[in-house]
């Protein structure tokens, strides 16, 4: 950690981990509600638990990206952060806004929350992942602008590197596409069409730039391979990501009323979306094999390699599974989508934030890496979480295949609830895997508090 | 007609001829399996010339020749296959 | 492999490829906006009930459990074609009758909608069911 | 058919060398994959409704298609000659040949716009029927590539005029040329497939 102002990343990472635990807990609640329908009803109905689960995920990933950026940009730009004070203020604003929103979800019925937060003035609530009250959305925009101002000033006055450039493009893109969440037309088709400009162009567009930049930064530090090689590959990978991801948005436009040419464009381009993740995995393993130093933080290296593999599996393979229009016709809106969602989010974005935390936390606490004992526990956490997530995905995929067969493909289709009863076995198994995942998360958090022989900073 | 010295010129002339032939075949309303094969053959010829001489992969590592010529062969083969399926 | 691989070329290709893809996407979006009027039943939006119904759908976070045209939560049935599957009266009776209280069954909260709001919701679901979704879902079960 | 009608390779070094930046070759492969998938999708869909495709295809203007093919081939040829001239430090011919490439590219765009206007005037569009969906999708996807190609050739031309390229450095020129040849290669397959074969 070359610059003292990089330490401002620590609260962001701690906040991110806190929300991560909350997200997993509410995930477990929902998992149980899938099999015991009235669990915690009416106190926490399913839709409320889901809002907390999905919103907590997005907020803690954003916090993770912000923390990573606050750590990475000064070091890359070789200059102190423009204003650490502003960064801390924005952290508390963001955390409090998120906390208030979650309390709002839990304390009052959603319709009441909409009324008391004046949603009618500028209605943006009630859409998946964008359930936050309009005032919270405005708060997010303010925090994002402050964050981007702070980083851009740092970026402009320091050394320009490809990693910083790509990260800043990704973060500015993230803020700009979020503005589409304020567009909520009466026309349902246009509402959904531009809703995807927030969701898809985030996770299969600009977030892949952020993912690439963070992974490249960690790989340079961990492998010692010279910057030139890694930055060339970074540009190739993110170009593949944008070229395939941009028009790849079409795979969401098959069945929502958009013209039918999207079925061809969406299928062709989204079929190419696994290519950047495959290139990223190749790139990560290649760099680690050609490493020129043995970095003491082996856990961070494991997370970085894991990110490549799981991103390719979750986002690439499981995405391709149901991205072609003729297949998607049957799997659209089934558990197959949920399976892809889980492993893609975990493999691509959860793991890259954890990679950055694993790499930078020891440095912010004054040592190159945690003790050997702590790293072993951390690696246990890696395998517990990753294997548990693979099983969650496998169980949901099995549930999805059976659901597609029973409810969509068979000549005598079952109703929705009848089908759900048939696949409840997989929901039970998914819940067990979810508990194992929580154990993995707790193990990961514990690994930060395990003492052992100190390593030189 | 002496062949022009520069390889690029010769390749250009061959490709012009191939294009005009394809155009003539098309205008004459040629259809059926043989017409498809001839046109695809001409397209492949042009493709090979572009890959080897215009893109200068003739002097490039073998891998790149395999990749691009492989792409051209695969596409042509699949097109013939599906045109054959269409015609039965 | 003897070939030069420069960062400047990779960066220029990134900028070129990104702009190219975005323009291509904008062109397809422009084309979509031209064709949408023939597919999205926008005439029904003149009926204030449909507009009010969409607001009620949003304010009660129905998307938190249901899918609409296949998008949303997978906890409860698809409602994009429920108007065709069940008809208006069933929908109103079902919403009024919730929660069922059957032990162990998935529960839908009671939203205390007025008669007018129920009619608005039905109008919105009718509108949603008539959008041209390229023959999706595969069958009436949705 | 003997296609090896060439004198010893222009570049003296015998060791195999890829011309143009490796990054552009990654994207030539990616683009060819995208075009390839589109071509196969066209062929597969046609196999299942041959009459409809043949009927709709009859309405296409084969002459403009052929003209465009000739334009692109000539454009590619011009760019090859330009690269050869630049390698030999004959900068004035290099600029002139690049001009040929650029003009052919622009002519292609103009011809294509006229063709599209005629189609739109006839009330045809991407949503008329499956054939026209493929026709417009494929040709428009290629059209955008030619637009980008013309921009690239324009930049190369300007840099050539400023003496940016020569025997000391043809790297950027070769990279742009490789991309332009890929655009030509894609059209070479697209033209017979969509315009002629039935």
């Amino acid at each position: 950690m070359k610059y003292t102002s990089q330490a401002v990343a620590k609260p962001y990472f701690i906040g991110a981990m806190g929300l991560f635990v909350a997200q997993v807990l509410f995930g477990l609640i929902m998992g149980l509600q899938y099999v015991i329908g009235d669990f915690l009803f009416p106190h926490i109905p399913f839709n409320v638990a889901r809002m907390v689960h999905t919103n907590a995920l997005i907020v803690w990933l954003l916090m993770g990206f912000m923390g990573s950026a606050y750590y990475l940009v000064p070091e890359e730009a070789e200059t102190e952060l423009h204003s650490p004070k502003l960064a801390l203020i924005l952290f508390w604003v963001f955390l409090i806004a998120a906390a208030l929103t979650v309390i709002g979800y839990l304390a009052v019925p959603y319709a009441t929350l909409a009324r008391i937060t004046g949603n009618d003035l500028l209605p943006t609530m009630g859409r998946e992942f964008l359930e936050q009250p309009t005032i919270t959305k405005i708060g997010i925009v303010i925090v994002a602008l402050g964050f981007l101002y702070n980083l851009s000033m740092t970026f402009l006055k320091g050394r320009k590197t490809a990693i910083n450039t790509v990260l800043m493009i990704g973060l500015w893109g993230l803020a700009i596409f979020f503005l589409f969440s304020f567009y909520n037309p009466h026309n349902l088709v246009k509402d959904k069409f531009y809703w995807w400009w927030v969701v898809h162009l985030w996770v299969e567009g600009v977030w892949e730039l952020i993912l690439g930049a963070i992974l490249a930064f960690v790989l340079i530090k961990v492998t010692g391979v010279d910057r030139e090689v890694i930055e060339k590959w970074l540009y190739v990978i993110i170009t593949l990501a944008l070229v395939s991801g941009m028009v790849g948005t079409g795979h969401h436009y098959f069945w929502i009323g958009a013209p039918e040419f999207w079925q061809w464009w969406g299928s062709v381009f989204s079929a190419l979306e696994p290519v950047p993740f495959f290139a990223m995995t190749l790139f990560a393993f290649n760099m680690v094999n050609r490493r020129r130093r043995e970095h003491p933080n082996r856990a961070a290296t494991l997370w970085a390699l894991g990110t490549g593999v799981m991103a390719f599996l979750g986002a690439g393979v499981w995405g391709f599974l149901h991205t072609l229009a003729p297949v998607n016709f049957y799997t659209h809106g089934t558990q197959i989508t949920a399976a892809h969602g889980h492993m893609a989010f975990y493999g691509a974005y959860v793991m890259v934030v954890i990679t950055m935390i694993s790499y930078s936390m020891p440095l912010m606490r004054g040592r190159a890496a945690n003790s050997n004992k702590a790293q072993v526990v951390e690696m246990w956490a890696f395998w517990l979480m990753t294997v548990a997530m693979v099983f969650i995905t496998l169980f949901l995929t099995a549930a999805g295949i059976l659901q597609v067969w029973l409810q969509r493909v068979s000549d005598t289709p079952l109703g929705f609830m009848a089908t759900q009863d048939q696949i409840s076995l997989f929901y039970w198994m998914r819940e067990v895997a979810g508990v194992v995942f929580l154990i993995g998360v707790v193990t990961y958090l514990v690994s930060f508090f395990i003492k052992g022989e100190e390593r030189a900073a | 007609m002496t062949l022009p010295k520069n390889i690029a010129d010769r390749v250009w002339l061959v490709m012009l001829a191939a294009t005009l032939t394809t155009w003539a075949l098309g205008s004459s309303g040629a259809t059926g399996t043989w017409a498809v094969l001839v046109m695809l053959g001409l397209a492949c010829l042009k493709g090979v010339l572009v890959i080897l001489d215009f893109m200068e992969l003739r002097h490039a590592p073998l891998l790149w020749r395999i990749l691009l010529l492989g792409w051209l062969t695969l596409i042509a083969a699949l097109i013939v296959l599906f045109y054959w399926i269409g015609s039965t | 492999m003897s070939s030069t691989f420069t960062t400047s070329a990779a960066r220029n290709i990134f900028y070129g490829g990104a702009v190219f893809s975005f323009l291509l996407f904008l062109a397809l979006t422009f084309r979509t906006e031209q064709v949408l009027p023939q597919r999205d039943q926008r005439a029904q939006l003149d009926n204030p009930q449909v507009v009010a119904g969409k607001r009620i759908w949003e304010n009660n976070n129905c998307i938190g459990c249901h899918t609409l045209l296949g998008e949303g939560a997978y906890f409860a049935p698809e409602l994009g074609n429920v108007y065709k599957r069940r008809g208006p009266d069933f929908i109103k009776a079902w919403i009024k009758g919730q929660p069922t209280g059957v032990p162990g069954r998935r529960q839908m909260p009671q939203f205390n909608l007025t008669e007018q709001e129920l009619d608005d919701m039905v109008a919105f679901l009718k509108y949603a069911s008539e959008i041209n979704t390229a023959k999706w879902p595969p069958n009436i079960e949705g | 058919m003997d296609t090896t009608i060439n004198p010893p390779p222009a570049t003296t070094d015998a060791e195999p060398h890829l011309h143009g930046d490796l990054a552009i070759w990654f994207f030539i492969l990616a683009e060819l994959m995208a075009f390839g998938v589109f071509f196969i999708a066209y062929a597969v869909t046609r196999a299942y409704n041959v009459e409809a495709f043949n009927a709709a295809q009859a309405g296409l203007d084969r002459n403009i298609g052929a003209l465009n093919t000739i334009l692109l081939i000539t454009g590619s040829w011009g760019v090859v000659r330009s690269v050869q001239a630049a390698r030999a430090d004959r900068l004035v011919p290099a600029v002139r040949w690049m001009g040929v490439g650029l003009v052919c590219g622009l002519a292609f765009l103009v011809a294509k716009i006229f063709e599209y206007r005629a189609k739109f005037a006839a009330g045809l569009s991407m949503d008329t029927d499956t054939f026209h969906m493929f026709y417009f999708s494929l040709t428009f996807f290629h059209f955008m590539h030619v637009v980008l190609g013309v921009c690239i050739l324009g930049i190369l031309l300007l840099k050539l005029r400023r003496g940016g390229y020569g025997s000391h450095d043809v790297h950027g020129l070769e990279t742009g040329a490789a991309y332009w040849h890929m655009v030509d290669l894609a059209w070479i397959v697209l033209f017979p497939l969509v315009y002629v074969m039935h």
Side-chain angles (χ1 to χ4, degrees):
Chain A
M1 197 178 88
K2 298 190 179 66
Y3 299 89
T4 55
S5 62
Q6 286 179 283
V8 88
K10 203 188 288 186
Y12 280 89
F13 288 148
I14 293 165
M17 284 299 107
L19 288 170
F20 184 25
V21 171
Q23 179 219 337
V24 173
L25 286 176
F26 277 88
L28 288 176
I29 292 170
M30 290 201 295
L32 209 54
Q33 288 177 331
Y34 258 92
V35 283
I36 305 166
D38 53 4
F39 175 66
L40 291 184
F41 186 84
H43 313 297
I44 303 181
F46 182 86
N47 69 310
V48 171
R50 193 171 196 266
M51 278 193 295
V52 175
H53 184 62
T54 55
N55 285 242
L57 167 71
I58 292 163
V59 169
W60 88 257
L61 286 178
L62 290 181
M63 272 192 182
F65 289 155
M66 290 178 176
S68 309
Y70 280 130
Y71 184 88
L72 180 151
V73 168
E75 185 156 334
E76 282 285 309
E78 289 174 346
T79 170
E80 286 291 348
L81 182 63
H82 176 69
S83 160
K85 208 158 34 62
L86 176 62
L88 277 176
I89 295 164
L90 289 177
F91 167 72
W92 289 107
V93 169
F94 196 25
L95 191 71
I96 290 162
L100 284 177
T101 305
V102 167
I103 290 163
Y105 291 155
L106 292 168
V108 290
Y110 193 71
T112 317
L113 182 65
R115 190 164 32 76
I116 54 180
T117 57
N119 184 48
D120 291 336
L121 294 175
L122 174 60
T124 66
M125 290 172 75
R127 292 176 301 160
E128 199 184 2
F129 308 131
L130 301 179
E131 296 95 348
Q132 311 80 21
T134 307
I135 45 172
T136 307
K137 287 196 174 80
I138 293 167
I140 290 169
V141 168
I142 292 165
V143 166
L145 283 179
F147 164 67
L148 286 169
Y149 162 76
N150 204 348
L151 279 184
S152 302
M153 297 303 287
T154 315
F155 170 73
L156 290 174
K157 69 179 174 167
R159 174 181 69 151
K160 305 292 182 298
T161 67
I163 287 176
N164 255 359
T165 314
V166 168
L167 183 65
M168 290 314 293
I169 295 171
L171 292 172
W172 275 104
L174 184 152
I176 288 160
F177 283 125
F178 181 70
L179 297 179
F180 280 93
S181 63
F182 290 95
Y183 178 59
N184 183 14
H186 301 316
N187 183 326
L188 182 60
V189 178
K190 288 174 78 168
D191 173 6
K192 283 175 172 290
F193 193 90
Y194 292 102
W195 176 78
W196 283 110
W197 285 40
V198 181
V199 177
H200 174 95
L201 290 181
W202 266 20
V203 290
E204 288 169 65
V206 290
W207 281 30
E208 285 186 18
L209 269 64
I210 299 169
L211 163 68
I214 295 175
L215 199 63
F217 173 80
V218 170
L219 282 174
I220 288 181
K221 298 295 173 186
V222 164
T223 64
V225 169
D226 61 3
R227 167 180 295 279
E228 179 78 9
V229 174
I230 287 184
E231 286 186 341
K232 279 186 284 198
W233 276 94
L234 175 64
Y235 273 125
V236 170
I237 287 168
I238 56 172
T239 310
L240 283 170
L242 280 191
V243 165
S244 58
M246 195 62 77
V247 182
T249 315
H251 66 187
H252 300 294
Y253 294 157
F254 296 156
W255 322 115
I256 60 160
E260 281 157 39
F261 62 75
W262 281 109
Q263 291 178 21
W264 298 97
W265 285 86
S267 298
V268 167
F269 276 83
S270 57
L272 296 175
E273 278 190 56
V275 171
F277 287 109
F278 180 71
M280 196 185 300
T281 307
L282 222 65
F283 161 69
F285 277 92
N286 204 325
M287 293 307 128
V288 171
N289 293 345
R290 286 164 44 185
R291 64 186 177 279
R292 297 223 298 265
R293 58 175 295 196
E294 284 304 326
H295 195 278
N297 195 340
R298 294 191 319 286
T301 313
L302 180 64
W303 281 108
L305 292 174
T307 304
V309 172
M310 290 306 290
F312 173 62
L313 269 179
V317 172
W318 248 265
F320 183 74
L321 205 67
H322 62 138
T323 197
L324 300 180
V327 172
N328 195 264
F329 183 69
Y330 289 100
T331 64
H332 181 55
T334 66
Q335 291 299 323
I336 301 277
T337 315
H340 161 66
H342 279 88
M343 193 188 256
F345 257 113
Y346 174 72
Y349 300 114
V350 169
M351 286 184 83
V352 78
V353 169
I354 292 180
T355 304
M356 190 63 184
I357 294 175
S358 287
Y359 167 74
S360 61
M361 209 48 129
L363 290 167
M364 285 192 280
R365 297 161 88 183
R367 48 180 182 267
N370 290 337
S371 65
N372 209 5
K373 218 146 47 78
Q375 286 196 43
V376 166
V377 171
E378 193 175 339
M379 292 191 192
W380 266 100
F382 169 89
W383 288 107
L384 274 171
M385 287 164 72
T386 305
V387 169
M389 183 49 74
V390 166
F391 275 104
I392 289 176
T393 305
L394 287 176
F395 293 142
L396 287 181
T397 305
I401 292 167
L402 199 52
Q403 179 180 20
V404 165
W405 170 254
L406 291 172
Q407 188 182 318
R408 299 254 171 96
V409 171
S410 80
D411 305 331
T412 56
L414 288 180
F416 178 85
M417 277 320 294
T419 310
Q420 293 295 309
D421 292 342
Q422 294 297 321
I423 55 181
S424 59
L425 167 69
F426 294 114
Y427 290 141
W428 277 109
M429 294 158 80
R430 178 266 295 266
E431 185 68 5
V432 171
V435 170
V436 173
F437 187 84
L438 179 64
I439 294 166
V441 173
V442 169
T443 313
Y444 179 67
L445 296 181
V446 162
S447 73
F448 284 100
F449 301 103
I450 288 178
K451 291 289 171 276
E453 79 290 0
E454 287 305 313
R455 287 290 182 78
Chain B
M1 199 269 283
T2 61
L3 275 180
K5 187 173 59 53
N6 190 320
I7 163 72
D9 301 352
R10 257 180 270 144
V11 165
W12 176 60
L13 289 178
V14 169
M15 288 167 71
L16 279 193
T19 309
L20 292 177
T21 320
T22 310
W23 176 69
L25 273 176
S27 307
S28 69
T31 86
T33 321
W34 71 270
V36 162
L37 289 179
V38 166
M39 286 182 220
L40 261 187
L42 289 171
C44 286
L45 167 69
K46 286 191 283 184
V48 164
L49 290 177
V50 164
I51 291 170
L52 293 185
D53 293 314
F54 278 8
M55 292 178 165
E56 294 177 300
L57 287 191
R58 196 187 295 279
H59 322 303
L62 179 63
L63 168 71
W64 291 98
R65 263 198 302 287
I66 291 171
L67 283 172
L68 274 102
L69 291 178
W71 172 84
L72 187 65
T73 335
L74 179 70
I75 297 291
L78 286 172
I79 289 172
V80 166
L81 172 70
F82 286 109
Y83 267 72
W84 177 72
I85 289 175
S87 64
T88 52
Chain C
M1 193 158 62
S2 70
S3 59
T4 45
F5 183 16
T6 59
T7 308
S8 63
R11 186 185 57 248
N12 294 340
I13 291 165
F14 166 65
Y15 289 131
V19 169
F20 173 85
S21 311
F22 192 62
L23 290 179
L24 188 59
F25 185 54
L26 284 187
L28 293 174
T29 302
F30 177 73
R31 180 62 201 159
T32 301
E33 289 282 350
Q34 281 178 327
V35 177
L36 268 190
Q38 302 140 26
R39 301 178 60 90
D40 62 7
Q41 294 284 335
R42 58 184 56 191
Q44 293 200 32
L45 294 174
D46 302 335
N47 170 4
Q49 282 196 301
V50 171
V51 171
K54 183 168 189 282
R55 190 66 63 235
I56 295 162
W57 166 273
E58 287 167 357
N59 283 352
N60 291 289
N61 189 27
C62 305
I63 204 77
C65 292
H66 292 276
T67 50
L68 186 64
L69 304 187
E71 292 171 355
Y74 313 105
F75 187 70
E78 155 70 21
L79 295 184
N81 66 341
V82 73
Y83 185 84
K84 289 180 182 152
R85 183 168 60 243
R86 302 283 194 218
D89 302 331
F90 176 92
I91 294 172
K92 285 170 66 175
W94 179 269
I95 296 176
K96 270 188 276 193
Q98 294 310 310
T100 57
V102 173
R105 299 299 296 176
R106 297 184 187 180
Q107 296 300 306
M108 172 168 165
Q110 175 49 244
F111 295 106
N112 306 313
L113 300 181
T114 65
E115 199 56 32
Q116 172 61 35
E117 284 172 330
L118 285 170
D119 291 333
D120 296 344
M121 177 66 90
V122 165
F124 170 67
L125 291 175
K126 178 176 182 304
Y127 153 68
S129 68
E130 284 159 8
I131 292 170
N132 178 349
T133 56
K135 292 193 273 300
W136 190 88
N139 56 47
I140 196 61
E141 293 307 332
Chain D
M1 219 317 267
D2 171 21
T3 58
T4 54
I5 41 174
N6 67 323
T11 53
T12 51
D13 50 355
E15 191 241 324
H17 177 70
L18 188 63
H19 294 281
D21 196 283
L22 185 62
I24 197 68
W25 286 98
F26 277 127
F27 287 95
I28 285 174
L29 288 180
E31 299 289 356
L32 289 181
M33 258 198 295
F35 274 109
V37 170
F38 259 126
F39 292 150
I40 302 310
Y42 173 88
V44 168
T45 318
R46 179 186 176 283
Y48 295 105
N49 28 53
V50 174
E51 286 67 27
F53 266 56
N54 288 347
Q57 187 185 37
L60 288 193
D61 185 339
R62 203 175 294 103
N63 304 336
I64 285 194
L67 168 70
N68 277 343
T69 312
I70 290 164
L71 281 173
L72 275 192
I73 288 172
T74 313
S76 263
W77 170 54
V79 168
V80 171
R81 288 300 298 268
S82 172
V83 170
Q84 285 174 352
R87 283 200 187 115
D89 279 319
R90 301 192 343 267
L91 294 187
V92 172
V95 169
R96 215 176 293 123
W97 279 116
M98 186 56 76
V100 168
L102 190 59
V103 163
C104 288
L106 289 169
F108 176 96
L109 296 178
V110 168
K112 183 56 72 182
I113 287 167
F114 275 112
E115 186 186 353
Y116 276 160
R117 273 239 304 273
K119 288 277 177 295
F120 289 145
L124 295 170
S125 78
M126 212 195 272
D127 310 277
T128 312
D129 59 32
T130 311
F131 175 80
H132 282 98
M133 192 287 301
F134 270 109
Y135 165 72
F136 279 105
S137 295
L138 277 166
T139 50
F140 181 71
F141 186 51
H142 181 269
F143 177 86
M144 292 290 286
H145 278 81
V146 176
V147 168
L148 181 59
V150 162
C151 298
I152 289 173
L153 294 189
I155 293 165
L156 294 182
L157 185 69
L158 291 176
K159 200 167 175 192
L160 262 173
R161 280 167 56 141
R162 288 199 310 273
Y165 297 116
S167 55
H168 60 283
D169 170 24
V170 276
H171 185 59
L173 191 64
E174 286 175 341
T175 305
Y179 171 82
W180 184 249
H181 297 316
M182 181 276 293
V183 171
D184 182 22
L185 177 63
W187 181 263
I188 280 170
V189 175
L190 193 153
F191 169 61
L193 180 68
V194 172
Y195 281 84
V196 188
M197 279 154 55
H198 56 280

